[in-house]
Amino acid sequence: MQKTIKVTLRPEEAFNADLLQEAILKKSGIRESDVQVRPTKRSIDARSRNVKVNMEALISIKEDLPPLISYKRDYPNVSHAEQVVIVGFGPAGMFAALRCIELGYKPIVIERGSDVQKRRRDLAAINKEHVVNPESNYCFGEGGAGTYSDGKLYTRSKKRGDIQKSLEILVAHGATEEILVDAHPHIGTNKLPKVVQEIRESVLNAGGKILFDTKVTDFLLEGERMKGVVLQDGTKVEGLGVVLATGHSARDIFKLLHKKNIYIEAKPFALGVRVEHPQQLIDKIQYNCEVDRGPWLPASSYALVHQTYFDQKQRGVFSFCMCPGGFIVPAATAPGEIVVNGMSPSRRDSKYANSGIVTAIELEDLEAFAKHGPLAALEFQKQIEQRAFEVAGQTQAAPAQRMIDFVNNKVSSQLNDTSYQPGLVSTSMNDVLPEHVHERLRTAFKAFGKKMKGYYTNEAQIVGVESRTSSPVRIPRDKETCEHLQIKGLYPCGEGAGYAGGILSAAMDGGKCADMLIKAYGKVG
């Protein structure tokens, strides 16, 4: 007999593998001896002073539990099958490649950056030597921007694809089983590279092809039908069509599309700063603990939003990509710019908590950039990043200011310790951010201090700029078929095309686009 039960446990029971099964059985009143227990859902409830953990578990009495996952790494050999061209090997590109193989087609993946092993050297160079490799960095390379990030897998994109299957694919390639259980799952920057490598091996072992350190410089068009791409050495790669999964920072691809008169459009995005607090302070606020969170609770996170008004325009200011127990990293993709992002290891055991705090940038805010047409938001974004570079001294050291100092228009005489390896430079963020951005942030920080007592403090500092929240360009496509509205055989997908907002949603979108391409031009369906 099998049944699903729901129980509420103490953290020391819910997060201690040795006590978990006993605690679930005791709470559920089950006393049979031949019992197997598998947790299926886990979420923390910190609304009261005593933190609780809500658990759901599958109980099997006198019979074996079903397999944890049904997905198998059992792919057909597609070495001699028809080809599909995939540009980019981030989450969207990886899952597009796997879906092509499942359907019997050979993916030819073109990735401008390096594989995960070589990519580490490029990350070390930007952190220690302030040298930015424009082809291989925190945004470009095997696994995309997600590889060296927190690996957050929570998504609201319920209609985009099969969430359970997507999570099972990750588990089948080495991700921890806990991502199937936790309400807000994450893999961790220390574990993601191994998962990405395993997906690479699945693609190659099935007969797919991956070209690293290879850049697309042109498209192969026959009228308004895309047949493939041209590489930097002049090589032409053709296929049934092209899945364009280049990520939100591939500015050269956006410019190439515009140059070829392929329809794109400016897209609203969000821009601001990354805020860093001591993790212990956030734990005290969120868990109501006097000293620290103890050995069982994970590093706490937060989600904040506040509506602001400036120049008679309402815009939301909100937290973005909150990284408990994490690090701030340099995410520039070209020399001469400063971009910051956050990441966390799987244990989330850094002494710092950081989060993007950003405000919405609408198209009506970009009138001064209208001459750039569909690249208006991109040019605005680039200008802010270049200004940050100039203000902070023309290295990868980032401009920073303590939070209350910022709100009070005071340059900080001293900055706090930081997780950001290239270092910080005390500046006025007024010199970096446009007025409508820094004034909205000032309003929001004071409001956040009322929502989270202790959040508004000079123990926290803001680091600029958080500007790659999403793509500043949308590549429009048909809602049903996912094909570009103008160019047949072109399937823009993931964050770079404006259709995803994280690892899981991008992965599902990549799989869906491969599905639609093969349905339209292949022998399936």
Side-chain angles (χ1 to χ4, degrees):
M1 181 181 74
Q2 294 180 358
K3 64 178 182 178
T4 298
I5 64 158
K6 295 181 179 181
V7 296
T8 300
L9 304 178
R10 301 191 309 274
E12 57 267 34
E13 297 170 326
F15 292 100
N16 186 333
D18 295 331
L19 298 179
L20 181 59
Q21 178 166 326
E22 180 184 347
I24 289 175
L25 292 176
K26 183 177 179 180
K27 283 274 189 177
S28 61
I30 295 174
R31 292 181 172 80
E32 284 83 350
S33 56
D34 188 8
V35 179
Q36 297 180 54
V37 178
R38 176 182 295 154
T40 54
K41 291 183 182 179
R42 178 172 60 194
S43 62
I44 296 173
D45 183 353
R47 290 174 294 180
S48 63
R49 183 160 293 276
N50 294 318
V51 178
K52 303 172 183 177
V53 182
N54 296 319
M55 298 285 303
E56 184 178 288
L58 179 63
I59 307 290
S60 185
I61 302 172
K62 295 183 168 50
E63 60 180 284
D64 289 334
L65 287 165
L68 177 68
I69 62 174
S70 59
Y71 190 87
K72 305 293 183 185
R73 290 175 65 176
D74 183 18
Y75 300 108
N77 189 298
V78 296
S79 301
H80 304 292
E82 287 190 86
Q83 296 182 171
V84 173
V85 179
I86 300 169
V87 185
F89 201 52
M94 290 190 294
F95 274 61
L98 292 178
R99 186 57 182 152
C100 286
I101 293 168
E102 290 174 354
L103 295 174
Y105 287 78
K106 180 178 180 177
I108 306 295
V109 183
I110 300 155
E111 170 54 56
R112 69 192 299 161
S114 303
D115 62 49
V116 289
Q117 295 94 332
K118 185 179 176 184
R119 199 174 165 193
R120 285 193 178 97
R121 295 196 291 272
D122 297 317
L123 302 188
I126 191 172
N127 273 302
K128 297 176 182 178
E129 301 164 24
H130 301 245
V131 175
V132 179
N133 181 339
E135 309 302 339
S136 183
N137 42 64
Y138 275 98
C139 291
F140 298 150
E142 185 176 21
T147 299
Y148 294 98
S149 73
D150 191 52
K152 296 178 184 67
L153 300 174
Y154 178 69
T155 179
R156 295 183 177 89
S157 302
K158 309 300 182 185
K159 297 181 180 179
R160 197 179 302 273
D162 187 336
I163 293 177
Q164 182 66 22
K165 178 185 175 182
S166 300
L167 291 172
E168 288 192 10
I169 290 173
L170 293 170
V171 172
H173 288 89
T176 173
E177 297 170 0
E178 290 185 347
I179 69 172
L180 301 171
V181 177
D182 287 330
H184 291 83
H186 68 105
I187 298 177
T189 187
N190 54 321
K191 294 186 176 181
L192 266 167
K194 179 62 176 174
V195 175
V196 169
Q197 283 179 258
E198 289 296 314
I199 293 176
R200 179 216 306 168
E201 291 305 311
S202 284
V203 173
L204 296 178
N205 290 340
K209 191 173 183 179
I210 305 172
L211 305 174
F212 291 113
D213 301 303
T214 304
K215 193 171 181 178
V216 169
T217 57
D218 205 353
F219 300 122
L220 289 174
L221 291 165
E222 290 184 2
E224 293 194 338
R225 170 77 162 91
M226 187 169 287
K227 307 299 288 286
V229 298
V230 181
L231 308 183
Q232 75 261 36
D233 64 358
T235 301
K236 296 178 180 179
V237 182
E238 297 189 42
L240 288 176
V242 175
V243 175
L244 196 62
T246 53
H248 58 39
S249 294
R251 289 171 173 168
D252 59 322
I253 293 295
F254 296 139
K255 291 178 180 179
L256 176 61
L257 289 163
H258 188 44
K259 178 182 176 183
K260 304 287 283 190
N261 293 316
I262 296 174
Y263 184 56
I264 59 175
E265 57 191 22
K267 175 185 150 298
F269 70 112
L271 181 142
V273 295
R274 191 147 282 267
V275 175
E276 188 169 60
H277 286 80
Q279 180 63 51
Q280 188 178 39
L281 174 60
I282 300 299
D283 289 340
K284 286 181 179 180
I285 297 169
Q286 298 297 77
Y287 289 148
N288 298 299
C289 53
E290 293 184 5
V291 182
D292 59 44
R293 65 180 184 269
W296 301 113
L297 283 170
S300 63
S301 62
Y302 60 82
L304 293 166
V305 63
H306 181 70
Q307 294 301 317
T308 64
Y309 295 85
F310 180 82
D311 196 23
Q312 299 182 325
K313 295 175 184 176
Q314 181 179 351
R315 299 282 185 270
V317 175
F318 54 94
S319 56
F320 169 82
C321 185
M322 198 274 149
C323 295
F327 304 88
I328 300 177
V329 297
T333 54
E337 64 188 27
I338 293 288
V339 182
V340 295
N341 195 6
M343 69 177 197
S344 298
S346 59
R347 291 172 61 90
R348 292 181 164 176
D349 53 1
S350 160
K351 64 180 181 179
Y352 302 101
N354 72 76
S355 177
I357 300 294
V358 295
T359 184
I361 304 296
E362 301 293 344
L363 298 185
E364 65 176 320
D365 299 325
L366 304 174
E367 292 180 2
F369 294 83
K371 64 182 180 182
H372 298 288
L375 301 177
L378 185 155
E379 292 298 330
F380 168 79
Q381 179 192 62
K382 185 168 71 172
Q383 184 188 89
I384 302 302
E385 295 167 359
Q386 292 174 344
R387 187 186 302 165
F389 180 79
E390 294 294 328
V391 167
Q394 301 184 0
T395 70
Q396 282 301 302
Q401 201 169 0
R402 294 196 298 177
M403 184 184 286
I404 294 178
D405 289 346
F406 164 71
V407 172
N408 291 336
N409 266 309
K410 176 185 174 184
V411 175
S412 299
S413 58
Q414 182 178 342
L415 295 173
N416 305 323
D417 290 340
T418 182
S419 64
Y420 184 72
Q421 286 190 35
L424 303 178
V425 177
S426 181
T427 62
S428 169
M429 282 295 172
N430 292 7
D431 296 333
V432 176
L433 300 170
E435 185 181 14
H436 63 95
V437 174
H438 63 65
E439 288 308 306
R440 292 185 190 282
L441 293 180
R442 284 190 170 89
T443 300
F445 283 134
K446 289 187 283 187
F448 292 162
K450 295 177 181 177
K451 295 178 180 181
M452 285 179 63
K453 302 296 184 184
Y455 181 91
Y456 180 57
T457 172
N458 262 347
E459 288 187 67
Q461 59 197 359
I462 64 174
V463 180
V465 289
E466 174 79 49
S467 52
R468 306 288 178 95
T469 54
S470 66
S471 176
V473 173
R474 179 178 287 109
I475 309 173
R477 70 188 192 191
D478 184 272
K479 289 183 179 180
E480 299 299 325
T481 67
C482 298
E483 192 171 33
H484 189 270
L485 293 179
Q486 171 196 4
I487 303 297
K488 300 299 181 185
L490 173 60
Y491 288 77
C493 72
E495 287 201 39
Y499 295 101
I503 291 174
L504 198 56
S505 60
M508 291 190 293
D509 198 51
K512 180 181 178 181
C513 285
D515 234 8
M516 293 294 103
L517 187 159
I518 292 169
K519 182 178 180 180
Y521 296 101
K523 299 174 183 177
V524 174

